């Protein structure tokens, strides 16, 4: 019976040491090198600035010639260049006090469609025979630019 209790005690001690090591328990000498627990938030841009940046990205896409190549992988950078300002626009819209989610619902739906196209993680190209994610990203980006022009927010 003594062996049984000793085995449980030893097992509990080993478990405690493992848990302490895994959980990151550290000595006081590690306190100086500890990283802050909370990262500083990136400031959200205003809706007006986010709108301007997004519309400029769509204009740049068009001015640069869009995606003339139909082969897969030839338009991924351009797709990402439109997605980043669309995400910033969504963040700005989420914090905009003067308007609510109902106002932004169509814009949110277009950004969600863009996200769906980007979620494929590649440019699928454009072919009549196969699926493509370009309309989800590029078409929705143009529709969003049009929506923003029709619904100006300062």
């Amino acid at each position: 019976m003594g062996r049984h209790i000793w085995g449980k005690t030893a097992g509990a001690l080993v478990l405690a040491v493992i848990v302490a090591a895994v959980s990151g328990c550290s000595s006081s000498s590690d306190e100086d090198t500890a990283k802050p627990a909370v990262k500083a938030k990136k400031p959200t841009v205003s809706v007006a600035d986010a709108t301007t940046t997004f519309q400029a990205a769509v204009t740049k896409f068009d001015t640069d010639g869009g995606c003339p190549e139909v082969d897969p992988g030839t338009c991924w950078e351009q797709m990402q260049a439109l997605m980043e300002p669309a995400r910033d626009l969504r963040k700005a819209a989420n914090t905009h006090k003067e308007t609510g989610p109902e106002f932004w619902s169509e814009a949110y739906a277009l950004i969600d469609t863009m996200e769906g196209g980007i979620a494929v993680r590649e440019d699928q190209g454009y072919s009549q025979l196969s699926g493509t994610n370009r309309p989800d990203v590029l078409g929705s980006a143009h529709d969003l630019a049009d929506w923003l022009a029709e619904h100006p927010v300062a």
Side-chain angles (χ1 to χ4, degrees), residues 124-150:
Q124 294 178 329
Y126 186 77
S127 169
Q128 296 286 335
L129 303 174
S130 64
T132 178
N133 57 340
R134 287 186 184 181
D136 287 347
V137 179
L138 306 176
S140 295
H142 284 86
D143 291 345
L144 180 58
D146 292 342
W147 186 90
L148 291 167
E150 293 168 8

Side-chain angles (χ1 to χ4, degrees), residues 9-88:
T9 304
L13 287 173
V14 169
L15 181 60
V17 169
I18 292 171
V19 169
V22 171
S23 68
C25 288
S26 61
S27 66
S28 61
S29 64
D30 290 341
E31 290 177 14
D32 295 335
T33 60
K35 294 180 181 177
V38 177
K39 291 182 180 180
K41 279 187 167 182
K42 181 180 172 183
T44 304
V45 297
S46 70
V47 170
D49 289 343
T51 297
T52 300
T53 301
F54 178 77
Q55 288 176 319
V58 172
T59 300
K60 180 178 180 349
F61 173 81
D62 291 340
T63 303
D64 290 349
C67 289
E69 299 291 325
V70 297
D71 296 331
T74 57
C75 194
W76 185 239
E77 288 179 24
Q78 294 92 325
M79 293 166 77
Q80 290 177 316
L82 293 172
M83 192 70 244
E84 185 177 341
R87 289 176 178 141
D88 291 341

Side-chain angles (χ1 to χ4, degrees), residues 64-112:
D64 290 349
C67 289
E69 299 291 325
V70 297
D71 296 331
T74 57
C75 194
W76 185 239
E77 288 179 24
Q78 294 92 325
M79 293 166 77
Q80 290 177 316
L82 293 172
M83 192 70 244
E84 185 177 341
R87 289 176 178 141
D88 291 341
L89 176 64
R90 178 175 36 215
K91 288 176 192 173
N94 286 339
T95 62
H96 194 250
K97 304 281 187 228
E98 290 78 23
T99 58
E102 288 179 21
F103 175 82
W104 293 102
S105 62
E106 189 173 343
Y108 288 150
L110 291 167
I111 295 169
D112 289 346

